[in-house]
Amino acid sequence: MQPLLNLLGPAPKPQRLSLAEWDLVVRQARRAHVLARIAALVQAHGAWAAVPPAPRQHLASALALATRQQRELRFEVAQIARALQPAGVPVVLLKGGAYALAGLQASLGRMVSDVDILVPHECLADVETALMMAGWVHTNHDAYDQHYYRTWMHELPPMRHLQRGTVLDVHHALVPATARARPSTQRLLQAAQALPGQPGVCVLAPADMVLHSAAHLFHESDFAHGFRGVVDLDALLREFAMVPGFWPELLERAAALGLQWPLHHALRYAQAIMQTPVPPSTVAALAPSVCQRDWQHRLRDALYLRTLRPDHASTADAWTPLARGLLYLNGHRLRMPLHLLLPHLARKALGGLLPKEKP
């Protein structure tokens, strides 16, 4: 996987890869949804001509798709902002949409297949009504799934626009309501920053953006996009670290929002996988947030360093399925207490045998 990591680093050298290595890199990167990012980084470093013709076609195709997605994203965000005007709620973008509209380095070649926004919980009903009036509808009509999202999750069931088919996720928190961590949405929204020239559209403050990326990644149970999450974190940290005072502010916000342990994991595995530069004092300050026994570190590393690779056969070993399975269960454990989790998993396991409930 080293050729893939080299191309995603701060100084990609595509001329050093053989055709056989390119063949593997293209397959790994496509699986991890970072093929377009490699194309964008290679272009940004003026090394496009060094890519052989065959892999260049794959890179160009992926980059064209990412460019089109980001162009459509800008139109879609404008439509969402217009739809929410009657509710008096600004659009606070999350994840890929935020990176793209803020023009961050993390947006280079970033695929954005849907839009994620954060709104105050007390405005959720008004936001949902305003969006439905503008053509967004819920596509999941199963009564249990509706109950699951509305009672326990941090977002509404996904919405899709009737005409354009675009998917919108409306969040009212960073993590599920039943999770152990409870970062304050109000604090996040108060610190959100307006985007110049885009009325009614904001993004999270830089430190909060990193914390959301960390919390999202390490509360996951499905790590299909786990490697891309580490790539996002690496890009955010490298860019924001250029601003004086970023690291102390990141620690302060992690403490205020109760997200020290996801940040610890984010920094540890961004360093381990992407060689992200992180001050040793920052890592040391987060150490008390996690179990410190040597075997606990080794166990976490054994699980995450296998699971946070591209989901491709060439990056797996005999222990990878077990690691993914254990982190799948751990993700659910972090999101729900046991008395809710066990019936939920049982229902999901038997889902194909049970009749769908009508809402």
Side-chain angles (χ1 to χ4, degrees):
M1 182 170 112
Q2 196 55 48
L4 173 68
L5 296 176
N6 290 342
L7 288 172
L8 290 167
K13 304 287 186 188
Q15 63 271 24
R16 294 182 179 175
L17 271 67
S18 66
L19 279 177
E21 288 173 323
W22 268 115
D23 176 64
L24 185 57
V25 161
V26 167
R27 288 185 284 127
Q28 291 172 341
R30 191 188 304 284
R31 189 72 177 170
H33 302 276
V34 295
L35 189 56
R37 180 161 181 82
I38 290 175
L41 289 172
V42 168
Q43 282 193 350
H45 285 81
W48 188 248
V51 181
R56 194 190 305 163
Q57 290 181 0
H58 291 282
L59 296 183
S61 176
L63 185 57
L65 176 59
T67 302
R68 192 189 75 187
Q69 286 183 341
Q70 293 197 18
R71 184 171 58 245
E72 292 173 351
L73 168 75
R74 294 176 184 281
F75 173 81
E76 202 60 36
V77 169
Q79 301 307 306
I80 296 169
R82 182 181 301 173
L84 294 187
Q85 278 182 352
V89 178
V91 174
V92 179
L93 292 168
L94 301 174
K95 300 192 279 190
Y99 311 155
L101 266 71
L104 299 177
Q105 290 294 310
S107 73
L108 286 177
R110 179 64 153 76
M111 309 293 287
V112 187
S113 57
D114 54 11
V115 183
D116 295 81
I117 65 173
L118 180 68
V119 303
H121 187 271
E122 60 271 22
C123 298
L124 207 52
D126 291 341
V127 167
E128 186 175 12
T129 301
L131 290 170
M132 294 184 78
M133 292 293 290
W136 277 273
V137 297
H138 294 291
T139 56
N140 188 332
H141 300 297
D142 179 74
Y144 175 78
D145 289 341
Q146 288 282 332
H147 176 72
Y148 171 78
Y149 274 99
R150 294 176 185 278
T151 306
W152 298 318
M153 288 296 103
H154 53 305
E155 58 185 318
L156 292 174
M159 304 181 81
R160 183 184 297 275
H161 196 274
L162 277 172
Q163 295 176 323
R164 300 188 295 276
T166 48
V167 176
L168 173 63
D169 292 329
V170 180
H171 302 248
H172 55 82
L174 295 194
V175 296
T178 51
R180 299 176 183 181
R182 298 286 182 87
S184 165
T185 300
Q186 185 181 10
R187 286 191 174 198
L188 294 163
L189 293 175
Q190 285 174 344
Q193 300 178 350
L195 291 177
Q198 299 176 71
V201 182
C202 306
V203 297
L204 296 179
D208 293 350
M209 209 178 285
V210 171
L211 291 169
H212 173 233
S213 183
H216 178 73
L217 179 58
F218 290 99
H219 280 83
E220 270 293 344
S221 53
D222 179 2
F223 283 85
H225 292 166
F227 179 72
R228 188 180 69 176
V230 178
V231 172
D232 284 346
L233 279 164
D234 174 66
L236 293 174
L237 290 166
R238 288 180 189 271
E239 183 169 4
F240 294 153
M242 302 294 287
V243 179
F246 168 71
W247 293 108
E249 183 186 356
L250 183 61
L251 288 175
E252 183 182 329
R253 289 296 284 179
L257 296 168
L259 293 174
Q260 292 105 323
W261 76 262
L263 180 60
H264 170 276
H265 288 8
L267 300 185
R268 183 177 181 88
Y269 296 112
Q271 275 187 310
I273 297 170
M274 301 298 296
Q275 307 301 311
T276 310
V278 180
S281 60
T282 302
V283 178
L286 293 166
S289 65
V290 298
C291 299
Q292 285 298 302
R293 293 179 180 171
D294 187 54
W295 70 266
Q296 291 168 318
H297 278 307
R298 289 206 305 270
L299 177 60
R300 272 196 301 268
D301 288 351
L303 296 177
Y304 282 115
L305 291 177
R306 285 182 169 83
T307 304
L308 293 175
R309 297 174 180 175
D311 186 12
H312 188 268
S314 63
T315 67
D317 63 16
W319 296 98
T320 300
L322 177 62
R324 288 185 178 276
L326 291 175
L327 288 183
Y328 173 83
L329 295 175
N330 184 59
H332 280 289
R333 180 187 66 85
L334 291 170
R335 293 155 67 95
M336 300 180 83
L338 206 57
H339 71 279
L340 295 176
L341 175 60
L342 292 178
H344 172 69
L345 289 179
R347 186 177 184 91
K348 286 296 178 185
L350 298 172
L353 305 176
L354 298 175
K356 292 286 185 183
E357 298 179 21
K358 295 181 180 179

Short mmCIF file of all heavy atoms in Angstrom, two decimals, residues 47-90:
data_model
loop_
_atom_site.label_atom_id
_atom_site.label_comp_id
_atom_site.label_asym_id
_atom_site.label_seq_id
_atom_site.Cartn_x
_atom_site.Cartn_y
_atom_site.Cartn_z
N ALA A 47 2.81 17.23 -11.90
CA ALA A 47 3.41 15.95 -12.28
C ALA A 47 2.49 15.13 -13.17
O ALA A 47 2.70 13.92 -13.33
CB ALA A 47 3.76 15.16 -11.01
N TRP A 48 1.49 15.76 -13.74
CA TRP A 48 0.50 15.02 -14.55
C TRP A 48 1.16 14.29 -15.72
O TRP A 48 0.81 13.16 -16.05
CB TRP A 48 -0.56 16.00 -15.04
CG TRP A 48 -1.73 15.36 -15.71
CD1 TRP A 48 -2.08 15.45 -17.03
CD2 TRP A 48 -2.75 14.54 -15.11
NE1 TRP A 48 -3.23 14.74 -17.29
CE2 TRP A 48 -3.66 14.18 -16.12
CE3 TRP A 48 -2.98 14.09 -13.80
CZ2 TRP A 48 -4.78 13.39 -15.88
CZ3 TRP A 48 -4.09 13.28 -13.55
CH2 TRP A 48 -4.97 12.95 -14.57
N ALA A 49 2.13 14.94 -16.35
CA ALA A 49 2.77 14.35 -17.54
C ALA A 49 3.58 13.10 -17.18
O ALA A 49 3.90 12.30 -18.08
CB ALA A 49 3.68 15.39 -18.20
N ALA A 50 3.90 12.93 -15.90
CA ALA A 50 4.69 11.76 -15.49
C ALA A 50 3.83 10.52 -15.29
O ALA A 50 4.37 9.43 -15.05
CB ALA A 50 5.44 12.07 -14.20
N VAL A 51 2.52 10.67 -15.38
CA VAL A 51 1.62 9.52 -15.22
C VAL A 51 1.49 8.81 -16.57
O VAL A 51 1.17 9.45 -17.57
CB VAL A 51 0.23 9.96 -14.73
CG1 VAL A 51 -0.68 8.75 -14.54
CG2 VAL A 51 0.34 10.75 -13.44
N PRO A 52 1.75 7.50 -16.64
CA PRO A 52 1.61 6.77 -17.90
C PRO A 52 0.18 6.90 -18.45
O PRO A 52 -0.77 7.09 -17.69
CB PRO A 52 1.94 5.33 -17.52
CG PRO A 52 2.76 5.45 -16.27
CD PRO A 52 2.23 6.64 -15.54
N PRO A 53 0.02 6.78 -19.78
CA PRO A 53 -1.31 7.00 -20.40
C PRO A 53 -2.43 6.14 -19.83
O PRO A 53 -3.53 6.63 -19.61
CB PRO A 53 -1.05 6.68 -21.87
CG PRO A 53 0.41 6.95 -22.06
CD PRO A 53 1.07 6.56 -20.78
N ALA A 54 -2.17 4.87 -19.55
CA ALA A 54 -3.26 3.99 -19.10
C ALA A 54 -3.81 4.41 -17.74
O ALA A 54 -5.03 4.65 -17.62
CB ALA A 54 -2.79 2.53 -19.08
N PRO A 55 -2.98 4.54 -16.70
CA PRO A 55 -3.56 5.01 -15.43
C PRO A 55 -4.05 6.45 -15.50
O PRO A 55 -4.97 6.82 -14.76
CB PRO A 55 -2.39 4.87 -14.43
CG PRO A 55 -1.17 4.80 -15.25
CD PRO A 55 -1.56 4.16 -16.53
N ARG A 56 -3.47 7.26 -16.39
CA ARG A 56 -3.92 8.66 -16.49
C ARG A 56 -5.39 8.73 -16.90
O ARG A 56 -6.13 9.60 -16.46
CB ARG A 56 -3.06 9.41 -17.51
CG ARG A 56 -3.23 10.92 -17.44
CD ARG A 56 -2.57 11.61 -18.61
NE ARG A 56 -1.16 11.25 -18.71
CZ ARG A 56 -0.43 11.45 -19.80
NH1 ARG A 56 -0.99 11.99 -20.87
NH2 ARG A 56 0.85 11.11 -19.82
N GLN A 57 -5.80 7.78 -17.75
CA GLN A 57 -7.22 7.77 -18.16
C GLN A 57 -8.13 7.53 -16.95
O GLN A 57 -9.18 8.16 -16.82
CB GLN A 57 -7.46 6.68 -19.21
CG GLN A 57 -6.83 6.98 -20.56
CD GLN A 57 -7.12 5.89 -21.58
OE1 GLN A 57 -7.79 4.90 -21.26
NE2 GLN A 57 -6.63 6.06 -22.78
N HIS A 58 -7.73 6.62 -16.08
CA HIS A 58 -8.54 6.35 -14.89
C HIS A 58 -8.57 7.57 -13.96
O HIS A 58 -9.62 7.92 -13.40
CB HIS A 58 -7.97 5.14 -14.13
CG HIS A 58 -8.13 3.85 -14.87
ND1 HIS A 58 -9.32 3.15 -14.92
CD2 HIS A 58 -7.24 3.13 -15.60
CE1 HIS A 58 -9.16 2.05 -15.63
NE2 HIS A 58 -7.91 2.01 -16.08
N LEU A 59 -7.42 8.20 -13.79
CA LEU A 59 -7.36 9.37 -12.92
C LEU A 59 -8.21 10.49 -13.49
O LEU A 59 -8.96 11.17 -12.75
CB LEU A 59 -5.90 9.84 -12.77
CG LEU A 59 -4.92 8.89 -12.09
CD1 LEU A 59 -3.55 9.55 -11.97
CD2 LEU A 59 -5.40 8.49 -10.71
N ALA A 60 -8.10 10.72 -14.79
CA ALA A 60 -8.85 11.82 -15.42
C ALA A 60 -10.35 11.59 -15.30
O ALA A 60 -11.12 12.52 -15.03
CB ALA A 60 -8.44 11.96 -16.88
N SER A 61 -10.77 10.34 -15.47
CA SER A 61 -12.19 10.03 -15.38
C SER A 61 -12.71 10.26 -13.96
O SER A 61 -13.79 10.86 -13.76
CB SER A 61 -12.42 8.57 -15.78
OG SER A 61 -13.76 8.21 -15.60
N ALA A 62 -11.95 9.82 -12.97
CA ALA A 62 -12.37 10.01 -11.58
C ALA A 62 -12.40 11.49 -11.22
O ALA A 62 -13.32 11.96 -10.54
CB ALA A 62 -11.41 9.27 -10.64
N LEU A 63 -11.40 12.25 -11.70
CA LEU A 63 -11.36 13.67 -11.38
C LEU A 63 -12.52 14.42 -12.04
O LEU A 63 -13.10 15.34 -11.44
CB LEU A 63 -10.03 14.28 -11.83
CG LEU A 63 -9.78 15.73 -11.46
CD1 LEU A 63 -9.89 15.94 -9.95
CD2 LEU A 63 -8.41 16.20 -11.95
N ALA A 64 -12.88 14.01 -13.25
CA ALA A 64 -14.02 14.65 -13.92
C ALA A 64 -15.31 14.43 -13.12
O ALA A 64 -16.14 15.34 -12.99
CB ALA A 64 -14.17 14.08 -15.33
N LEU A 65 -15.47 13.21 -12.59
CA LEU A 65 -16.66 12.93 -11.78
C LEU A 65 -16.67 13.77 -10.50
O LEU A 65 -17.70 14.35 -10.13
CB LEU A 65 -16.71 11.44 -11.43
CG LEU A 65 -17.85 11.01 -10.50
CD1 LEU A 65 -19.21 11.35 -11.11
CD2 LEU A 65 -17.75 9.51 -10.19
N ALA A 66 -15.52 13.85 -9.82
CA ALA A 66 -15.46 14.64 -8.59
C ALA A 66 -15.72 16.11 -8.87
O ALA A 66 -16.42 16.79 -8.09
CB ALA A 66 -14.08 14.47 -7.93
N THR A 67 -15.18 16.62 -9.97
CA THR A 67 -15.40 18.02 -10.34
C THR A 67 -16.88 18.29 -10.60
O THR A 67 -17.43 19.31 -10.17
CB THR A 67 -14.57 18.37 -11.59
OG1 THR A 67 -13.19 18.10 -11.32
CG2 THR A 67 -14.73 19.82 -11.97
N ARG A 68 -17.51 17.37 -11.31
CA ARG A 68 -18.95 17.53 -11.57
C ARG A 68 -19.76 17.48 -10.29
O ARG A 68 -20.67 18.28 -10.08
CB ARG A 68 -19.43 16.43 -12.53
CG ARG A 68 -20.84 16.69 -13.08
CD ARG A 68 -21.37 15.51 -13.83
NE ARG A 68 -21.77 14.44 -12.91
CZ ARG A 68 -22.15 13.23 -13.30
NH1 ARG A 68 -22.15 12.92 -14.58
NH2 ARG A 68 -22.50 12.32 -12.41
N GLN A 69 -19.39 16.56 -9.39
CA GLN A 69 -20.11 16.47 -8.11
C GLN A 69 -19.98 17.78 -7.32
O GLN A 69 -20.95 18.26 -6.72
CB GLN A 69 -19.57 15.31 -7.27
CG GLN A 69 -19.99 13.94 -7.77
CD GLN A 69 -19.50 12.83 -6.86
OE1 GLN A 69 -18.56 13.02 -6.07
NE2 GLN A 69 -20.09 11.66 -6.98
N GLN A 70 -18.79 18.34 -7.30
CA GLN A 70 -18.60 19.57 -6.52
C GLN A 70 -19.31 20.76 -7.18
O GLN A 70 -19.79 21.65 -6.48
CB GLN A 70 -17.10 19.85 -6.34
CG GLN A 70 -16.41 18.81 -5.46
CD GLN A 70 -15.06 19.28 -4.94
OE1 GLN A 70 -14.75 20.46 -4.94
NE2 GLN A 70 -14.25 18.33 -4.49
N ARG A 71 -19.37 20.76 -8.52
CA ARG A 71 -20.13 21.83 -9.20
C ARG A 71 -21.62 21.71 -8.87
O ARG A 71 -22.29 22.71 -8.57
CB ARG A 71 -19.90 21.73 -10.71
CG ARG A 71 -20.56 22.86 -11.49
CD ARG A 71 -20.13 22.85 -12.96
NE ARG A 71 -20.44 21.58 -13.62
CZ ARG A 71 -19.54 20.74 -14.08
NH1 ARG A 71 -18.25 21.00 -13.93
NH2 ARG A 71 -19.90 19.62 -14.68
N GLU A 72 -22.14 20.50 -8.91
CA GLU A 72 -23.56 20.29 -8.57
C GLU A 72 -23.83 20.58 -7.10
O GLU A 72 -24.91 21.04 -6.73
CB GLU A 72 -23.95 18.85 -8.93
CG GLU A 72 -23.95 18.58 -10.43
CD GLU A 72 -24.17 17.12 -10.77
OE1 GLU A 72 -24.16 16.27 -9.84
OE2 GLU A 72 -24.35 16.81 -11.95
N LEU A 73 -22.82 20.31 -6.26
CA LEU A 73 -22.97 20.58 -4.82
C LEU A 73 -23.24 22.06 -4.56
O LEU A 73 -24.10 22.41 -3.75
CB LEU A 73 -21.69 20.15 -4.10
CG LEU A 73 -21.54 20.62 -2.65
CD1 LEU A 73 -22.46 19.82 -1.74
CD2 LEU A 73 -20.10 20.50 -2.18
N ARG A 74 -22.53 22.93 -5.25
CA ARG A 74 -22.71 24.38 -5.05
C ARG A 74 -24.14 24.79 -5.39
O ARG A 74 -24.76 25.58 -4.67
CB ARG A 74 -21.71 25.16 -5.90
CG ARG A 74 -20.29 24.93 -5.46
CD ARG A 74 -19.25 25.61 -6.33
NE ARG A 74 -17.91 25.24 -5.89
CZ ARG A 74 -17.28 25.77 -4.85
NH1 ARG A 74 -17.86 26.76 -4.18
NH2 ARG A 74 -16.09 25.38 -4.49
N PHE A 75 -24.66 24.24 -6.48
CA PHE A 75 -26.05 24.55 -6.84
C PHE A 75 -27.00 24.01 -5.77
O PHE A 75 -27.93 24.71 -5.35
CB PHE A 75 -26.37 23.93 -8.21
CG PHE A 75 -27.82 24.04 -8.60
CD1 PHE A 75 -28.31 25.22 -9.13
CD2 PHE A 75 -28.70 22.98 -8.41
CE1 PHE A 75 -29.64 25.35 -9.49
CE2 PHE A 75 -30.03 23.09 -8.75
CZ PHE A 75 -30.51 24.27 -9.29
N GLU A 76 -26.74 22.81 -5.31
CA GLU A 76 -27.64 22.17 -4.35
C GLU A 76 -27.65 22.92 -3.02
O GLU A 76 -28.70 23.10 -2.40
CB GLU A 76 -27.21 20.71 -4.14
CG GLU A 76 -28.30 19.82 -3.61
CD GLU A 76 -29.50 19.74 -4.55
OE1 GLU A 76 -29.31 19.75 -5.78
OE2 GLU A 76 -30.63 19.70 -4.03
N VAL A 77 -26.48 23.36 -2.58
CA VAL A 77 -26.40 24.09 -1.31
C VAL A 77 -27.18 25.41 -1.41
O VAL A 77 -27.87 25.81 -0.46
CB VAL A 77 -24.93 24.35 -0.93
CG1 VAL A 77 -24.83 25.33 0.23
CG2 VAL A 77 -24.25 23.03 -0.57
N ALA A 78 -27.09 26.06 -2.56
CA ALA A 78 -27.86 27.30 -2.75
C ALA A 78 -29.36 27.03 -2.65
O ALA A 78 -30.12 27.82 -2.07
CB ALA A 78 -27.51 27.93 -4.10
N GLN A 79 -29.80 25.88 -3.20
CA GLN A 79 -31.22 25.52 -3.13
C GLN A 79 -31.64 25.23 -1.68
O GLN A 79 -32.73 25.59 -1.25
CB GLN A 79 -31.51 24.30 -4.01
CG GLN A 79 -31.17 24.48 -5.47
CD GLN A 79 -31.83 25.71 -6.07
OE1 GLN A 79 -33.05 25.89 -5.97
NE2 GLN A 79 -31.02 26.60 -6.65
N ILE A 80 -30.75 24.57 -0.92
CA ILE A 80 -31.07 24.26 0.48
C ILE A 80 -31.15 25.55 1.29
O ILE A 80 -32.06 25.73 2.12
CB ILE A 80 -30.01 23.31 1.06
CG1 ILE A 80 -30.03 21.96 0.32
CG2 ILE A 80 -30.23 23.08 2.55
CD1 ILE A 80 -28.85 21.06 0.64
N ALA A 81 -30.21 26.46 1.05
CA ALA A 81 -30.23 27.74 1.78
C ALA A 81 -31.51 28.50 1.49
O ALA A 81 -32.12 29.08 2.40
CB ALA A 81 -29.01 28.56 1.39
N ARG A 82 -31.93 28.47 0.23
CA ARG A 82 -33.18 29.16 -0.14
C ARG A 82 -34.37 28.48 0.54
O ARG A 82 -35.28 29.15 1.05
CB ARG A 82 -33.36 29.13 -1.66
CG ARG A 82 -34.61 29.86 -2.15
CD ARG A 82 -34.72 29.77 -3.66
NE ARG A 82 -33.55 30.35 -4.33
CZ ARG A 82 -33.33 30.30 -5.63
NH1 ARG A 82 -34.17 29.63 -6.40
NH2 ARG A 82 -32.27 30.87 -6.14
N ALA A 83 -34.36 27.17 0.58
CA ALA A 83 -35.48 26.44 1.19
C ALA A 83 -35.59 26.73 2.69
O ALA A 83 -36.70 26.74 3.25
CB ALA A 83 -35.31 24.94 0.96
N LEU A 84 -34.45 26.95 3.35
CA LEU A 84 -34.47 27.14 4.81
C LEU A 84 -34.67 28.59 5.21
O LEU A 84 -34.78 28.89 6.42
CB LEU A 84 -33.16 26.61 5.42
CG LEU A 84 -32.94 25.10 5.33
CD1 LEU A 84 -31.72 24.68 6.12
CD2 LEU A 84 -34.17 24.33 5.83
N GLN A 85 -34.74 29.50 4.25
CA GLN A 85 -34.96 30.91 4.60
C GLN A 85 -36.23 31.11 5.43
O GLN A 85 -36.21 31.84 6.43
CB GLN A 85 -35.00 31.76 3.33
CG GLN A 85 -33.62 32.13 2.79
CD GLN A 85 -33.70 33.01 1.56
OE1 GLN A 85 -34.78 33.24 1.00
NE2 GLN A 85 -32.55 33.53 1.13
N PRO A 86 -37.36 30.49 5.07
CA PRO A 86 -38.58 30.70 5.88
C PRO A 86 -38.41 30.23 7.33
O PRO A 86 -39.06 30.77 8.23
CB PRO A 86 -39.63 29.85 5.14
CG PRO A 86 -39.13 29.74 3.74
CD PRO A 86 -37.64 29.68 3.86
N ALA A 87 -37.57 29.24 7.55
CA ALA A 87 -37.36 28.73 8.92
C ALA A 87 -36.34 29.58 9.67
O ALA A 87 -36.16 29.38 10.89
CB ALA A 87 -36.89 27.27 8.86
N GLY A 88 -35.66 30.48 8.97
CA GLY A 88 -34.66 31.33 9.62
C GLY A 88 -33.45 30.55 10.12
O GLY A 88 -32.82 30.94 11.10
N VAL A 89 -33.10 29.46 9.43
CA VAL A 89 -32.00 28.61 9.85
C VAL A 89 -30.91 28.64 8.77
O VAL A 89 -31.19 28.33 7.62
CB VAL A 89 -32.47 27.16 10.06
CG1 VAL A 89 -31.30 26.25 10.44
CG2 VAL A 89 -33.54 27.11 11.13
N PRO A 90 -29.66 29.00 9.14
CA PRO A 90 -28.59 28.95 8.14
C PRO A 90 -28.20 27.52 7.82
O PRO A 90 -28.46 26.60 8.60
CB PRO A 90 -27.44 29.70 8.83
CG PRO A 90 -27.68 29.50 10.28
CD PRO A 90 -29.18 29.45 10.46
#
